[in-house]
Amino acid sequence: MTVLTRETELTVKEDLWFPYYLQNILDFVKAGVILLSPEGKILFANKMALELLKDNDLEGKDFSLFFTQQDREIFWPNVLTILENEGLYEGEGYLVPREGDGFVAQFHFLRYEPEGAPPFIVLTFQNLSHLKKLEKSLREAKHLAFLGRMLSDISHHVRNPISVIGGLARRLKESPEKVSSYSSALIYQCERLEELLSSLERFVLLRKPCFKPAEGKEIIEILKEKFEIELSGENPELVLNTKGFNSFVFYTDPELLIEALSEIIKNALESHRLLSHAEPVSFSAKVCENQVVFEVKDNGPGISLDVLPYIFNPFFTTKSGHFGMGLTYATRIMEELGGEIEVLNLSNPTVFRVFIPLDRRRPERRYLLFKALDK
């Protein structure tokens, strides 16, 4: 750490005004404090900044050394440009200390231009890792509480087929000559249990999203493969209206998004099949401002007002032979992707809309702003 005395007070970066006693004051601040040149060179760092960046000699180093390669090329130049134009920047970023793991930091930058002295930048930052872990723990606790509320429903859905299996097994023991008829019923109940356990497993063990650029064409082509039968024939059950969407690129987890969309489409197809004369289910996709909007319409019997509040609840269904986990699973995925599902119309047609951010990242992390301004 640079020790500033009255003799060195006016020699720091072209006579930067910095009373030596301020160093001792700033060392008491429980946040990293760094003074930077307009180009990003470190002029001074307080004690907490040294601890956070795991470096005992920061003076003269470029602050960009503590960013990832991508942030050095895009984020950091953008921050300096914003400071030059606006004088202030606040946001989050990822810092990589000399030793140990990187961490998410909350930044507050201020460009200061004192009269009669060269300009400099004041940076304060804090490690948000503990807060991020707490947020994660709260989300996990929320899901655990949700699972706790599901237990009674789970036990009900497991107990019923087990009771049937037990009854059939006892009858089979008493009347072995009826093995053919009883075995079919046993197989059906076992398949129901397998289906239940599979739906619970994918809900509980939903993986963490892996965000990356996804092409609209990629999403549509996979959906075409999954619903090839429903899309084929002279009277298809499903039609796609995605003209112009193929060329769009957005930032998401395409695999999880496709799973959520598939559940909503399957739900619409099931409603469609309840009315033989119904128009085919319609699926459309478009980009609207900063969102990708997917829309699924069906002309089935619709959703009654008394049922509407419960359609996303686990194990809620009005359809015989279903567990009612499809829309629950889709909702869980949307929570992870930062999107949402809404129901617009309840009948004629019933419309589900899925909203996904075009890009969760802030503009300053995606492209060089000054190039965009030059254009």
Side-chain angles (χ1 to χ4, degrees):
M1 179 173 63
T2 303
V3 178
L4 299 178
T5 64
R6 290 188 181 278
E7 289 73 27
T8 62
E9 176 182 326
L10 299 179
T11 65
V12 178
K13 203 59 179 178
E14 302 179 9
D15 296 343
L16 172 66
W17 182 84
F18 192 89
Y20 73 96
Y21 56 80
L22 282 183
Q23 172 190 314
N24 295 327
I25 296 175
L26 292 177
D27 280 343
F28 280 100
V29 177
K30 296 304 179 183
V33 180
I34 291 179
L35 302 187
L36 302 164
S37 71
E39 298 76 29
K41 293 290 184 182
I42 298 175
L43 307 176
F44 166 81
N46 74 340
K47 184 177 179 181
M48 181 58 71
L50 301 180
E51 292 179 6
L52 290 171
L53 296 177
K54 305 288 195 299
D55 193 326
N56 291 322
D57 186 16
L58 290 175
E59 182 189 0
K61 294 180 179 177
D62 197 312
F63 187 64
S64 67
L65 295 175
F66 299 98
F67 288 115
T68 63
Q69 181 63 36
Q70 183 178 8
D71 281 351
R72 278 198 292 271
E73 295 173 356
I74 298 178
F75 177 63
W76 183 233
N78 281 336
V79 170
L80 293 178
T81 301
I82 292 171
L83 289 171
E84 184 177 358
N85 293 327
E86 302 177 13
L88 179 69
Y89 176 78
E90 296 182 353
E92 294 182 6
Y94 191 77
L95 289 176
V96 184
R98 287 190 60 186
E99 300 176 359
D101 297 329
F103 60 90
V104 177
Q106 176 68 45
F107 294 128
H108 297 271
F109 289 93
L110 174 67
R111 182 183 169 98
Y112 184 56
E113 299 183 3
E115 185 176 353
F120 62 94
I121 297 168
V122 180
L123 161 65
T124 63
F125 65 102
Q126 290 180 305
N127 186 345
L128 295 182
S129 296
H130 179 71
L131 181 60
K132 295 295 182 181
K133 289 179 180 178
L134 180 60
E135 290 176 351
K136 181 181 178 181
S137 297
L138 289 173
R139 287 197 303 270
E140 291 175 349
K142 178 182 176 182
H143 287 305
L144 285 174
F146 183 71
L147 290 174
R149 293 193 296 271
M150 287 173 60
L151 278 178
S152 60
D153 290 326
I154 293 172
S155 62
H156 169 75
H157 282 82
V158 171
R159 188 183 299 112
N160 282 355
I162 288 179
S163 298
V164 174
I165 290 172
L168 289 171
R170 285 189 291 271
R171 291 182 186 180
L172 184 58
K173 182 179 178 181
E174 297 169 357
S175 307
E177 69 280 2
K178 296 182 179 180
V179 63
S180 178
S181 59
Y182 287 156
S183 61
S184 297
L186 284 168
I187 291 171
Y188 171 75
Q189 294 298 333
C190 288
E191 289 175 346
R192 291 271 295 165
L193 272 177
E194 289 175 0
E195 184 183 349
L196 171 63
L197 294 175
S198 177
S199 64
L200 288 172
E201 182 179 29
R202 68 174 185 164
F203 179 85
V204 174
L205 302 180
L206 181 67
R207 64 173 175 80
K208 183 179 179 181
C210 179
F211 291 95
K212 61 182 180 180
E215 294 185 1
K217 182 179 180 181
E218 172 191 1
I219 303 297
I220 301 305
E221 289 302 318
I222 295 176
L223 287 174
K224 284 181 178 179
E225 292 179 10
K226 291 176 72 72
F227 296 97
E228 181 179 1
I229 296 175
E230 289 80 4
L231 288 163
S232 61
E234 295 183 1
N235 298 303
E237 294 183 288
L238 174 66
V239 294
L240 303 184
N241 301 309
T242 57
K243 184 178 179 181
F245 180 70
N246 286 359
S247 59
F248 282 104
V249 177
F250 54 104
Y251 203 70
T252 189
D253 185 316
E255 293 179 1
L256 289 181
L257 174 59
I258 288 168
E259 285 191 46
L261 293 176
S262 296
E263 291 298 336
I264 296 172
I265 293 173
K266 284 190 285 186
N267 180 74
L269 287 168
E270 289 166 359
S271 295
H272 160 80
R273 289 164 185 157
L274 294 175
L275 296 178
S276 59
H277 63 279
E279 293 292 319
V281 173
S282 169
F283 174 85
S284 63
K286 63 181 180 180
V287 173
C288 184
E289 296 182 349
N290 294 321
Q291 290 184 313
V292 181
V293 183
F294 299 96
E295 188 173 270
V296 180
K297 295 182 182 179
D298 73 78
N299 288 280
I303 304 172
S304 62
L305 287 174
D306 58 328
V307 165
L308 182 63
Y310 310 104
I311 61 173
F312 295 107
N313 289 0
F315 299 117
F316 181 83
T317 181
T318 58
K319 302 164 187 172
S320 177
H322 291 73
F323 287 114
M325 285 295 291
L327 292 179
T328 304
Y329 184 56
T331 304
R332 171 81 194 281
I333 291 176
M334 284 301 107
E335 289 177 356
E336 295 295 327
L337 297 183
E340 61 178 339
I341 305 172
E342 69 174 21
V343 186
L344 295 183
N345 297 13
L346 302 183
S347 62
N348 299 321
T350 299
V351 180
F352 281 79
R353 278 187 182 169
V354 176
F355 299 89
I356 290 286
L358 196 60
D359 197 326
R360 290 160 53 96
R361 300 171 300 173
R362 300 187 303 277
E364 61 267 29
R365 302 187 69 87
R366 290 164 16 211
Y367 52 83
L368 292 171
L369 297 177
F370 63 87
K371 282 191 175 182
L373 292 173
D374 289 343
K375 293 179 182 179

